[in-house]
Amino acid sequence: MAAEIKTRSQQRQPILFSRIDDDTIDVVRGAVFTPNEDGLITVSEDKSIRVWLKRETGQYWPSVCHFVASPCSSMFYSPESKRLFVGQDNGNIDEFEVSEDYNRVDHRRTYLAHQKEATGCVFAHSTHVMVSCGKDRYIVWHLTQNGQRLGGYQTPYNPVCIEYDVQSHYVFAGLANGEITVLKINKNDSELVTSLKGHSGSITCLCWDPDKQILYSGSSDKVIILWDIGSKKGTAIELQGHESKVTSLQYSARTQQLISTSNEGSMVVWNMDIKRNVTPVWLESNQCTKCKQPFFWNFKQMWSDKTLGLRQHHCRKCGIAVCASCSTKRTTIPLYGFEFEVRVCEECYKSISDEDRAPTASFYELKHNVTFSCADWKRGWLVTCGSDRSIKLWDLKHVVTK
């Protein structure tokens, strides 16, 4: 049975219900909504940790403004334990406890985790393990009960972002060369499970779905890849809907939707409850599969046929190598992840129906260059931080509610 493609009306737009513009704040590197309270916690390059609470005027004002020793580079907040972990440019990670009324943050411990900028950190409340990565090319993990460093693993390139699965003890670290290191940690030991290769640019963000055991990765190559870790079949599906680097990924298990943002300010809501096809492998050839004309490096055939070589292209649906004359058609192929028009061969173009071209994602313009975002799925809210130093709060209920 063919998958039902559910599309969303472009009339339904995210609603901007509040905005924080404060000249005293530098670029915000992390933000999270406070649970059970109308507020949020932010960390910034100006070394500040701020807790913003909504006042009777409807505006958000800081109830806490605490400064650390170095510019903030990353953060993680655990609502179960009210623990806040703040990574800094000097490589340290400071642990704080946030008070019940969100009017105070108390410093608990400083982890001398890295020799250079701490690019990411995650905390597992059930195991009391904090895992971090930094520009010193190390992944390290600490026991938060006593601050003891349990172990470390050196990566071949700088890790940029990190995710941790508590059940399997798998650590996913996105590297600057476009690879994803999958590491299994166990107290003082670690084991390299695999290295996922699919991006051509630096990994910029990761998102882990522990229920379906799917990892989503975004990159500076503008592509999102769905890695089906749980199936153990090596399935990887590409999603292409951005025109600049992907800056954040948020997944809602309840609505089965993925939200992605990019550097140019766009937001895409992807329907993940449909059967998508694996992006085909590009086949290599010395000549066009259709017309048999040689490609420009095939000197032997060019000399034999007394002809000039052609440039190689690929059909995005079947993956065959073709010349420009044999792939003049352009079309969207949403079930293959292509929401924009891409090159296809003549036969594939004829085989794609209007139903196959139906979009599986909705596109929105947030009107600022998004560098970070975080969702509160219970309330249907999204906070976005931009390079313009503004913080925007969005109501997404009309966008993500099924």
Side-chain angles (χ1 to χ4, degrees):
M1 181 181 294
E4 180 184 0
I5 300 175
K6 301 177 182 179
T7 60
R8 306 206 179 279
S9 171
Q10 292 296 305
Q11 301 297 319
R12 296 180 173 182
Q13 297 289 327
I15 299 172
L16 179 65
F17 66 86
S18 190
R19 175 172 179 162
I20 300 174
D21 289 310
D22 192 328
D23 294 337
T24 64
I25 305 176
D26 208 328
V27 175
V28 174
R29 299 295 297 274
V32 63
F33 286 104
T34 55
N36 306 318
E37 186 73 33
D38 196 347
L40 65 155
I41 303 171
T42 63
V43 298
S44 171
E45 290 183 0
D46 62 8
K47 307 180 185 180
S48 71
I49 302 170
R50 285 177 166 88
V51 181
W52 306 82
L53 296 179
K54 189 175 183 179
R55 308 302 180 178
E56 294 180 356
T57 61
Q59 300 297 315
Y60 288 81
W61 291 95
S63 61
V64 174
C65 186
H66 179 85
F67 288 88
V68 293
S70 183
C72 303
S73 55
S74 57
M75 69 169 286
F76 185 89
Y77 179 66
S78 169
E80 301 91 346
S81 61
K82 294 193 179 297
R83 294 288 189 271
L84 174 66
F85 297 85
V86 181
Q88 301 166 53
D89 280 3
N90 62 6
N92 293 346
I93 297 176
D94 281 351
E95 179 186 349
F96 298 90
E97 182 175 358
V98 182
S99 65
E100 290 286 342
D101 59 5
Y102 299 104
N103 285 313
R104 192 178 70 253
V105 292
D106 297 321
H107 184 265
R108 298 191 70 221
R109 184 175 287 110
T110 296
Y111 300 88
L112 305 179
H114 300 279
Q115 298 298 315
K116 295 182 180 180
E117 177 186 324
T119 54
C121 60
V122 290
F123 170 65
H125 172 64
S126 59
T127 59
H128 303 284
V129 172
M130 188 269 292
V131 188
S132 64
C133 60
K135 287 188 175 179
D136 57 358
R137 297 188 180 180
Y138 265 93
I139 300 169
V140 298
W141 51 101
H142 290 79
L143 186 64
T144 59
Q145 291 173 315
N146 56 16
Q148 178 187 359
R149 173 170 169 154
L150 298 177
Y153 179 85
Q154 187 174 16
T155 57
Y157 296 89
N158 288 336
V160 180
C161 47
I162 196 166
E163 283 283 356
Y164 177 51
D165 180 51
V166 179
Q167 299 299 323
S168 65
H169 303 292
Y170 275 18
V171 174
F172 306 96
L175 307 186
N177 71 330
E179 297 179 10
I180 300 172
T181 294
V182 183
L183 193 70
K184 184 171 185 178
I185 63 174
N186 182 19
K187 293 185 178 180
N188 304 96
D189 299 324
S190 64
E191 175 189 355
L192 178 63
V193 178
T194 188
S195 182
L196 305 176
K197 301 178 181 179
H199 288 287
S200 60
S202 172
I203 305 297
T204 53
C205 50
L206 295 173
C207 181
W208 172 246
D209 175 13
D211 297 328
K212 293 186 176 180
Q213 294 187 306
I214 291 176
L215 179 72
Y216 298 94
S217 60
S219 170
S220 60
D221 63 8
K222 312 174 189 177
V223 177
I224 300 165
I225 297 182
L226 179 160
W227 308 89
D228 192 349
I229 306 296
S231 69
K232 298 182 180 179
K233 296 180 180 179
T235 303
I237 296 175
E238 290 189 14
L239 304 175
Q240 300 198 25
H242 288 290
E243 297 181 347
S244 68
K245 75 174 182 178
V246 182
T247 54
S248 69
L249 296 169
Q250 309 286 325
Y251 178 73
S252 170
R254 182 177 63 83
T255 65
Q256 297 184 61
Q257 290 170 298
L258 178 73
I259 290 182
S260 60
T261 61
S262 66
N263 194 50
E264 91 277 5
S266 68
M267 181 182 79
V268 182
V269 180
W270 306 86
N271 282 354
M272 303 309 298
D273 61 347
I274 60 175
K275 182 177 175 56
R276 294 180 178 272
N277 297 317
V278 178
T279 305
V281 177
W282 285 7
L283 303 177
E284 298 300 326
S285 176
N286 289 325
Q287 61 182 9
C288 176
T289 306
K290 297 296 183 180
C291 68
K292 308 303 179 183
Q293 289 294 307
F295 292 131
F296 64 83
W297 61 81
N298 189 354
F299 298 110
K300 184 177 181 180
Q301 186 177 345
M302 286 193 301
W303 178 263
S304 174
D305 296 349
K306 298 297 187 292
T307 185
L308 295 175
L310 305 175
R311 181 183 174 186
Q312 177 182 255
H313 299 280
H314 289 89
C315 172
R316 267 39 174 200
K317 186 174 186 293
C318 66
I320 63 170
V322 288
C323 67
S325 298
C326 295
S327 57
T328 59
K329 302 297 185 180
R330 302 290 185 275
T331 184
T332 59
I333 327 176
L335 293 180
Y336 283 80
F338 298 106
E339 295 287 338
F340 298 150
E341 289 190 347
V342 290
R343 180 188 299 271
V344 292
C345 66
E346 305 292 331
E347 290 184 7
C348 284
Y349 183 81
K350 295 176 182 178
S351 70
I352 300 172
S353 65
D354 290 339
E355 183 181 357
D356 294 333
R357 294 186 178 93
T360 63
S362 300
F363 297 82
Y364 306 95
E365 178 57 54
L366 301 182
K367 297 182 180 179
H368 75 151
N369 298 332
V370 180
T371 56
F372 182 88
S373 77
C374 183
D376 182 333
W377 296 116
K378 289 184 178 180
R379 290 181 280 193
W381 292 353
L382 181 77
V383 56
T384 59
C385 309
S387 56
D388 56 0
R389 302 186 183 183
S390 66
I391 304 169
K392 294 184 177 182
L393 285 70
W394 305 86
D395 188 339
L396 301 182
K397 287 190 286 289
H398 294 297
V399 175
V400 299
T401 301
K402 292 195 173 183

